[in-house]
Amino acid sequence: MAISDFDLVFFGGSGDLAMRKLLPAMYARDVAHDLPASARIICVGREDLSQEAFLHMIETNSKPHIKENVDEGAWRDFLARITWVQLDAGNPASYGALADALRPDTGMSRSTDTGLTRVYYLATPPALFARICDNLAKAGLVTPASRVVLEKPLGRDLESAKQINADVGRVFAESQIYRIDHYLGKETVQNLLALRFGNILFEPLWRREWISDVQITIAEKLGVGNRLGYYDTSGALRDMLQNHLLQLLCIVAMEPPASISPDAVRDAKLQVLRSLKRFTPTTLSQNIVRGQYRAGYIDGQQVPGYREEPNAPQHSKTETFVAMKAEIDTWRWAGVPFYLRTGKRMADRLAEIVVRFKQIPHSIFNQPTSSFQPNSLVIRLQPDEGLSMNLMAKTPGDSMRLKQAELELDFREQFKSPRMEAYERLLLDVLRGQLTLFMRGDELEAAWEWVEPILDHWEQDDTTPAPYSSGTWGPAAASALIGRDGLQWREEALPED
Ligand code: BG6
């Protein structure tokens, strides 16, 4: 679907996200000829910068983040779309300058594909969302065709998430609100939808009768970097699990939606979130492990522990790792454990979903059933994109010995067409008005509602997160968590090279 003309306003326009992700993503789509010739990008922020100084800032802070070779002519054309507007988000008087920079919002007319869409992207701390929305409305800058994009963190608990929904909802209708979870923009996540609902093969098996367990891992090699101020009040549960991991879990576990339309998909995800088994203080201590990285080695380089990071509180209890066993109380999933795990400074950068099927019921070969590796489907999001299906096959030669073999699908190899970064995909969807890959307000609240008892418990708990050395797969307690069920995390089960 072609994109009609737009004014895209980046609040936090000189910030880290705009420089590292948003502007490079817009450049990539510009070079790919996805943007209408007259479309414009308006970056707003508090700094007193001339247009020239801002363009210079983009040159030094944003251009290096463009992955492909930059075509200088295309880059100049891209810069010509950009306007800097100085604005104090909390001060209604300063919205006049923004009004002057915008063209009239005529909305998108689907019949003619003409008209102008206005999008406000709030890449700012959430504390500013309410004021920005109110001030935009007061300045008469919101029409029924305007859209607003909200960046995480979308709250730090249920109450604050509800407050964000209420504040933004005073000015924008739900159909105008795009809550970003950049994991939903990743190519493989959409491929998971294709895999589940574009093939007849999996759906009959996609249930408790045939699946033994599911593992979802997002591991990072990076530490907290220069985000300690934010991270220390957040931690892995809020930063990664409440959003990215739960969204992946929803896509794996949801009932088949009737269509790919936003509400069909979001209703199905909501049902999963509402069916997650609630933790009690007892089940929570048994089924959740939190950890914090200590010094160690990443790629042969020594790295400091979390508490030695610049400005880190000496006795910080913030978790940089969390692993848990979750369960979904539905007919489809009752009794199937979903093991979720995420951490910083881990042995590898890896994001993957492992669906393990049940053991064969009986061996007809001269091998005991226990020597058969159960089939598994591994869906890789990072570092490469693909999936592998592990099957038992006969080894070549005289004897009838069976061994695990891998059926591999590498999306990059299979489809040579260029990839899109998550932010490119999501920005295009916002500009086209497609909400499927964005969270609805009730989903956001349901995810917080489920996570909140864990946060409350940790708040009152005197124990500290289990330490783990940087460059490992997390604390030993995480292996024990899954080991109690007679299972292993995938990398623990892999044969040594
Ligand atoms: C962000 C978190 O949402 O996701 C970061 O705030 C994390 O802490 C990042 O590093 C990971 O994203 P990706 O796409 O690099 O896996």
Side-chain angles (χ1 to χ4, degrees):
M1 188 169 120
I3 292 172
S4 63
D5 198 10
F6 62 83
D7 278 351
L8 169 62
V9 182
F10 286 136
F11 280 84
S14 58
D16 203 43
L17 188 75
M19 292 295 156
R20 281 190 309 111
K21 298 281 187 193
L22 304 178
L23 290 168
M26 290 306 286
Y27 168 76
R29 294 339 297 164
D30 198 5
V31 174
H33 306 294
D34 281 333
L35 312 186
S38 50
R40 296 180 335 146
I41 300 170
I42 295 135
C43 293
V44 306
R46 291 175 73 118
E47 292 93 329
D48 182 6
L49 293 172
S50 64
Q51 169 75 5
E52 208 184 0
F54 182 65
L55 293 184
H56 183 69
M57 180 188 256
I58 298 179
E59 197 76 34
T60 38
N61 294 358
S62 190
K63 200 175 177 188
H65 293 285
I66 296 172
K67 296 224 170 88
E68 311 302 326
N69 286 338
V70 178
D71 173 302
E72 287 307 320
W75 178 249
R76 269 194 307 278
D77 293 345
F78 176 65
L79 290 185
R81 296 180 181 279
I82 300 177
T83 309
W84 169 255
V85 172
Q86 188 191 6
L87 177 146
D88 172 1
N91 178 4
S94 70
Y95 283 69
L98 177 58
D100 292 343
L102 291 169
R103 295 173 288 169
D105 184 353
T106 52
M108 184 171 68
S109 145
R110 282 179 192 276
S111 53
T112 59
D113 262 354
T114 57
L116 186 120
T117 312
R118 193 181 285 166
V119 176
Y120 300 107
Y121 193 121
L122 310 193
T124 64
L128 286 175
F129 289 175
R131 270 176 286 164
I132 295 176
C133 291
D134 288 343
N135 287 336
L136 285 171
K138 270 190 219 142
L141 296 177
V142 180
T143 72
S146 310
R147 298 172 195 158
V148 66
V149 185
L150 306 180
E151 255 302 331
K152 67 175 288 233
L154 294 176
R156 48 174 292 105
D157 52 21
L158 179 59
E159 192 189 334
S160 52
K162 279 186 170 165
Q163 191 62 51
I164 290 175
N165 281 345
D167 290 339
V168 178
R170 272 198 308 275
V171 175
F172 293 92
E174 184 61 41
S175 58
Q176 297 173 280
I177 305 176
Y178 294 72
R179 294 177 191 80
I180 290 245
D181 184 310
H182 79 279
Y183 262 72
L184 292 181
K186 291 192 191 264
E187 196 71 29
T188 315
V189 175
Q190 295 155 68
N191 239 315
L192 181 55
L193 289 172
L195 178 82
R196 281 197 63 194
F197 306 119
N199 297 288
I200 196 72
L201 214 55
F202 298 107
E203 181 51 24
L205 303 179
W206 212 255
R207 56 193 66 248
R208 63 189 301 278
E209 286 79 4
W210 307 108
I211 289 181
S212 101
D213 61 280
V214 177
Q215 293 181 16
I216 307 180
T217 298
I218 306 180
E220 297 182 89
K221 282 189 191 175
L222 289 176
V224 72
N226 55 9
R227 297 166 71 222
L228 194 120
Y230 150 75
Y231 196 87
D232 201 59
T233 57
S234 167
L237 187 70
R238 288 188 174 98
D239 187 49
M240 298 292 287
L241 195 136
Q242 181 275 340
N243 38 59
H244 307 323
L245 276 154
L246 286 187
Q247 286 295 317
L248 295 182
L249 175 134
C250 284
I251 305 271
V252 174
M254 70 185 182
E255 293 299 317
S259 73
I260 196 78
S261 72
D263 279 337
V265 172
R266 298 184 309 174
D267 283 346
K269 289 199 290 163
L270 181 64
Q271 200 193 338
V272 175
L273 291 167
R274 292 201 171 142
S275 311
L276 280 165
K277 185 180 266 179
R278 309 278 136 178
F279 286 109
T280 65
T282 316
T283 61
L284 193 151
S285 346
Q286 287 161 354
N287 293 301
I288 306 184
V289 170
R290 57 184 166 148
Q292 191 187 62
Y293 64 82
R294 295 289 184 259
Y297 289 86
I298 299 276
D299 296 332
Q301 299 284 321
Q302 190 162 18
V303 293
Y306 179 76
R307 292 177 181 178
E308 288 113 51
E309 297 280 9
N311 305 322
Q314 295 238 314
H315 302 289
S316 172
K317 277 174 63 187
T318 301
E319 80 288 353
T320 60
F321 173 96
V322 58
M324 69 163 66
K325 173 181 169 181
E327 285 179 77
I328 303 170
D329 279 340
T330 60
W331 272 49
R332 185 187 284 266
W333 295 118
V336 178
F338 282 74
Y339 300 101
L340 311 181
R341 172 176 66 150
T342 185
K344 293 207 181 283
R345 285 280 188 239
M346 299 195 55
D348 215 346
R349 175 168 185 254
L350 174 90
E352 66 176 24
I353 300 164
V354 183
V355 178
R356 288 194 343 132
F357 293 88
K358 292 204 164 158
Q359 183 62 282
I360 54 160
H362 163 69
S363 167
I364 63 164
F365 306 100
N366 283 335
Q367 276 177 251
T369 314
S370 58
S371 71
F372 287 71
Q373 297 285 328
N375 297 138
S376 61
L377 182 65
V378 181
I379 301 143
R380 292 188 307 278
L381 286 75
Q382 277 164 196
D384 59 328
E385 296 162 351
L387 59 93
S388 40
M389 181 84 211
N390 294 303
L391 304 168
M392 293 302 282
K394 180 190 165 300
T395 53
D398 191 17
S399 66
M400 191 64 188
R401 293 288 310 163
L402 277 72
K403 210 173 157 206
Q404 182 166 285
E406 212 174 55
L407 211 77
E408 175 69 31
L409 174 59
D410 181 328
F411 295 138
R412 216 171 270 266
E413 279 293 306
Q414 187 79 29
F415 305 105
K416 305 279 185 211
S417 41
R419 335 292 305 158
M420 261 200 237
E421 286 283 310
Y423 274 101
E424 293 176 42
R425 146 98 291 130
L426 296 175
L427 277 162
L428 284 189
D429 279 358
V430 172
L431 295 168
R432 289 191 186 116
Q434 288 185 357
L435 276 158
T436 302
L437 296 177
F438 298 85
M439 279 179 297
R440 209 169 49 195
D442 48 6
E443 266 184 89
L444 176 72
E445 291 180 17
W448 277 118
E449 204 173 332
W450 185 70
V451 157
E452 195 156 76
I454 311 171
L455 293 169
D456 290 347
H457 183 79
W458 286 354
E459 183 103 15
Q460 288 149 23
D461 189 3
D462 287 337
T463 59
T464 46
Y468 63 97
S469 299
S470 288
T472 66
W473 285 103
S479 301
L481 167 78
I482 191 166
R484 277 200 295 276
D485 295 336
L487 300 170
Q488 289 177 305
W489 296 104
R490 193 169 95 91
E491 78 281 348
E492 296 172 336
L494 288 177
E496 299 270 323
D497 284 336

